[in-house]
Amino acid sequence: MESSDTGLMSWKLKEHPKLPKGKIVAVVVLDGWGEAPPGPYNCISAAHTPNMDSLKQRAPNRWRLLKAHGTAVGLPTDDDVGNSEVGHNALGAGRIFAQGAKLVDIALVSGKIYEGKGFKYIQQCFDTGTLHLIGLLSDGGVHSRLDQLLIFLKGASERGAKRIRVHILTDGRDVLDGTSIGFVQTLENELSELREKGVDAKIASGGGRMYVTMDRYENDWSVVKRGWDAHVLGEAPYKFTSALEAVKKMREDTNTDDQHLPPFVVVDEEGKSVGPIMDGDAVVTFNFRADRMIMIAKALEYDDFDKFERIRFPKIHYAGMLQYDGELKLPKHYLVSPPEIDRTSGEYLVHNGIRTFACSETVKFGHVTFFWNGNRSGYFNSEMEEYEEIPSDIGITFNVQPKMKAIEIAKKARDAILSRKFDQVRINLPNGDMVGHTGDIEATIVGCEAVDDAVKIVLDAIEEVAGIYVVTADHGNAEEMVKRSKKGEPLLDKNGNVQIQTSHTLQPVPITIGGSGLAPGVKFHGNLPTAGLANVASTLMNLHGFEAPSDYEPTLIEVVEE
Ligand SMILES: O=C(O)[C@@H](CO)OP(=O)(O)O
Ligand SMILES: [Mn+2]
Ligand SMILES: [Mn+2]
């Protein structure tokens, strides 16, 4: 950390000895765009992407791969796929922070989770109220983990929870479609063991994560309302006497995948919901990841709330697994302290006169703002920053509109670059990820081609202002659309069809820099073979003419005499 004469931390960055200030730098994050061998399940190699291809071929010294998964981005193990939260956190913060998944693991293993203020707060309801747990039910490890839920269920019941209701959101996005049946079965087994010990524990409601509760960035409040109605009011169009039956039947009868299952409630023999949320109950949202919990957290926490008609607003003790928004302090109560992602590159650059424009469409808007800035909403300095959100299409899966708003985002970036009002123009192009998550290979190829066209728009604008571009990605997705055996063969399901993979991957991501504003002699260091996304922030500071703070991960570039 840099310090001033007074011993206090200083925001002032040192000038870079060789690189000038004043260049406009475009930062383009391709969401879900990893590097993998070409093949029929690699939508990026299958797509016609002349611009990205030429960036790779033209300047081998200024194109390389970065680690974007596992411990390189603060996840518990190197078997953990990357994701947007940890990826953009690392890109923006320039350091690797132990992330939510890991912090919850640590708190559960040590038992500290039960000693904190958050647990004591919910525990006050255990004698007379019900403990409700709402979250994503899978072992995907992106938003939540089933093993953590099971440990917590046991821990809470040993500490006095007598009546427990779980509200499940089925996945099929971070894990294979269809696996929700197995996850529900595992949870049911655990709940039945708790019942044998005298705890009244049941699944009460649920639905598919993309259709119920887990919307983000206020894209579509009707998603959260469906969750509210099912979890809180105990009302849903589908009623079953067990969650297992619910998931199995709804998959067949409505022909929807795990991600998009309709909302359901579990009812008793009289058809009455087994677990609405009532006055005096405790509620925990057990996802550690922030973006898709913030909307439901607002609905559960805020007295003043006008996003939808709540009908009934129970007086509850609500805690998040983590605090999801550091600026809004939302929720007020939480079980595990979030990573303290401080002194991000965005905050430094604002203090050093860099004016920033950031843009994406709604579904990725918070990635280049909120996540980039360390899970902090709002501006550091509204006079120096402008964030623009292009409304995403709602109510569709993105294989229907695979081009999404890529071109519109790129045009906003182009206008911001040509206006010369900004020093950094930062965008996220969502297609590789959002279309990749649908598992639709043809549509994903179309999406990747739109990304390539969008990159060209930004690069052309950078050329006009003699600026610099940095094109990179946050994690893999579209480059690997099939589940493989250990030997690398595509796996088949029981009907002999290949198992389509909708999730992120373990693959590295490319980064490339260039533009006529780049000082001659700038190239990637040869001595950082294991660099990852956290090395990008220092690099960007250099390109703006500054040295990075000493505790940032080292820069990727060096300047050689030509
Ligand atoms: O859609 C999401 O929530 C995640 C996958 O669970 O994707 P990303 O990390 O790219 O936002
Ligand atoms: Mn992403
Ligand atoms: Mn994704």
Side-chain angles (χ1 to χ4, degrees), residues 31 84 364 433 437 475 477 504:
D31 214 293
S84 292
K364 295 289 178 185
D433 183 68
H437 279 307
H475 53 77
N477 185 334
H504 299 167

Side-chain angles (χ1 to χ4, degrees), residues 29-33 82-85 87-88 216 289 364 367 428 430 433-434 437 473-477 504:
V29 182
L30 313 184
D31 214 293
W33 189 286
N83 70 69
S84 292
E85 179 179 54
H88 287 78
R216 65 178 165 200
R289 174 162 152 173
K364 295 289 178 185
H367 289 34
N428 175 300
D433 183 68
M434 294 302 286
H437 279 307
D474 61 342
H475 53 77
N477 185 334
H504 299 167

Side-chain angles (χ1 to χ4, degrees), residues 522-545:
V522 170
K523 65 177 197 58
F524 285 133
H525 265 300
N527 61 358
L528 284 171
T530 59
L533 296 177
N535 297 78
V536 174
S538 297
T539 312
L540 291 176
M541 285 174 165
N542 294 168
L543 297 175
H544 284 295

Side-chain angles (χ1 to χ4, degrees), residues 40-41 43 257 259 397-402 431-448 477-478 481 500-502:
Y41 303 105
C43 294
D257 56 11
Q259 298 189 53
T397 53
F398 287 107
N399 54 335
V400 180
Q401 299 275 18
N431 314 54
D433 183 68
M434 294 302 286
V435 192
H437 279 307
T438 68
D440 182 332
I441 289 183
E442 271 167 44
T444 307
I445 293 172
V446 175
C448 292
N477 185 334
M481 299 283 288
I500 292 297
Q501 174 168 279
T502 54

